[in-house]
Amino acid sequence: MNAATRLSVLLLASCAFASAVRAAGTRDDLDGVWLFYGAEVPEDPGLTPAGREKLEQYDPLRDDADTMCKPVTFTSIMHTPSPPIEIRQRADHVEIDYEFMDVHRRVPLSGALASAPYTVADHPHMGRSLGSYEGEELVIDTVDVEAGYLDTLGFAGLPQSAQMRTEERFIPNGDRLEVVVTHHDPVYYAKPMVMTYDFVRVDTTIMEWGCTLEGANYDERLDAVEAEQPAAR
Amino acid sequence: MKPPYLLFLSAGVSLLTALAAAAHHSVAINFERGEPIEIRGTVKEAHMRNPHSQYVVDVRGEDGTITEWFVEWSDRNSLVRRGVDLDLIKAGDTVTLTLWPSQRLPNVGYFVQAVLADGSIYRDCGFVQYREAVAKSVRFRCEEGTRAPPQ
């Protein structure tokens, strides 16, 4: 074994050790239904000038795809406080059902990311994903997303380019789950932008969301109220 | 309209919960959770749906004019999980509603409590209480959410 190989083995072992230490649970703990329990959003997302300009242009009535029953991104979905998510680990793939917007995601555990199938079959704008395990943590990489807005809930108006690469790290801890999401986007972010989500295990089942344009566009109706009664309040 | 959620960027506030930083969907951002207001009127529409449930209520003023109020509540699925009767308030019911008023729009509020058509009182415990029960692994019970007898 030459020096370079020894170094590689050492690095891999270190990563696995670090992962094992960070994850207080086992990967089996990941299976189940999870309820959002809070998130940490960066004070400074490290936007480039183009990113700041895109953020300033954000108009929720025009740019929030949720109002058109089109789920924005996984980053945005995970900010929704009440609809839970369910994780099911299989031998060769992982299924994640997000109650919000009825998003059913399938993540293969082998193959190439660039040629992976769209992770949500009926929403190709959400990109292609590939999963793997590092110790007890599930790591999902996603690419080939549609340019637009990354988040309309937690940090509304954060942009994303088609070059965005996202790493989601699911860290089990018994009945708690931490998901660390690192966004790499050279167009809109000068540094990796990290959001952290906390979940608690919940004894429930995923229900149908049944998004309708009438229900999702309620804000538009409210703004019509504002337009009609500008002098009130 | 100036999007209020852009303000937190310049303010540089560190955000530890999603709701605190949320946009137009957010109850915390859009409604004043301080002093509630009360309206009495006839329910014109009741929509128990996602992402928000809504009632449209006709409120008659002292001069006889009718003002339409929009009342927002939790998403349907969340109400089901909290054990709320989705037929609690129906179109045609005359109710008195206690609301958190909208911070940006007139005649819009968020549901807190209702005096129902039969005179009983229903008060919502809210999603946060449900979530805390889940986090503590205790059975969710909403004592306030049970119908109280007429006063």
Side-chain angles (χ1 to χ4, degrees), chain A residues 47 50-51 54-55 58 70-76 124-127 142-151 157-166 181 183-189 193:
Chain A
L47 291 166
K54 183 86 172 167
L55 174 65
Y58 176 71
K70 179 183 174 183
V72 177
T73 63
F74 302 112
T75 293
S76 197
H125 69 280
M126 303 184 84
T142 299
V143 294
D144 199 14
V145 297
E146 183 179 83
Y149 285 96
L150 168 70
D151 196 1
L158 283 182
Q160 70 176 16
S161 78
Q163 295 179 48
M164 170 78 78
R165 180 174 66 80
T166 305
V181 187
H183 308 82
H184 305 269
D185 185 340
V187 176
Y188 291 134
Y189 298 86
M193 194 272 286

Side-chain angles (χ1 to χ4, degrees), chain A residues 36-37 39 41 43 55 60 64 81-82 99 153-154 204-205 208-209 218-219 221-223 225-226 229 233, chain B residues 1 5 9 12 15-18 21-22 24-25 32 50 54 70 72 75 77 81 102 105 107 127 131-132:
Chain A
F36 175 86
Y37 197 62
V41 178
E43 182 179 329
L55 174 65
D64 184 355
S82 57
E99 183 171 283
L153 283 168
T204 188
T205 55
E208 182 185 5
W209 189 255
Y218 182 54
D219 295 297
R221 189 173 183 186
L222 293 183
D223 280 291
V225 173
E226 185 179 42
Q229 304 174 54
R233 281 182 68 82
Chain B
M1 180 182 66
Y5 36 84
L9 178 64
L15 303 166
L16 294 176
T17 68
H24 58 302
H25 300 285
E32 296 169 13
N50 301 313
Q54 299 116 22
F70 292 87
E72 187 169 310
D75 64 86
N77 293 7
R81 289 197 173 92
S102 168
L105 295 172
N107 308 328
F127 170 73
R131 187 173 63 188
E132 287 306 311

Side-chain angles (χ1 to χ4, degrees), chain A residues 12 15-16 19-20 26-31 87-96 107-110 130-141 168-172:
Chain A
L12 284 171
C15 288
S19 176
T26 69
R27 68 175 67 172
D28 289 344
D29 293 338
L30 292 171
D31 286 316
I87 300 172
R88 295 185 299 272
Q89 299 172 101
R90 308 299 191 203
D92 61 349
H93 69 279
V94 177
E95 297 161 1
I96 308 178
V107 181
L109 293 170
S110 62
L130 182 65
S132 62
Y133 289 96
E134 291 183 11
E136 301 305 313
E137 300 176 5
L138 169 65
V139 181
I140 300 177
D141 289 305
E168 297 160 276
R169 189 169 286 270
F170 293 74
I171 305 169

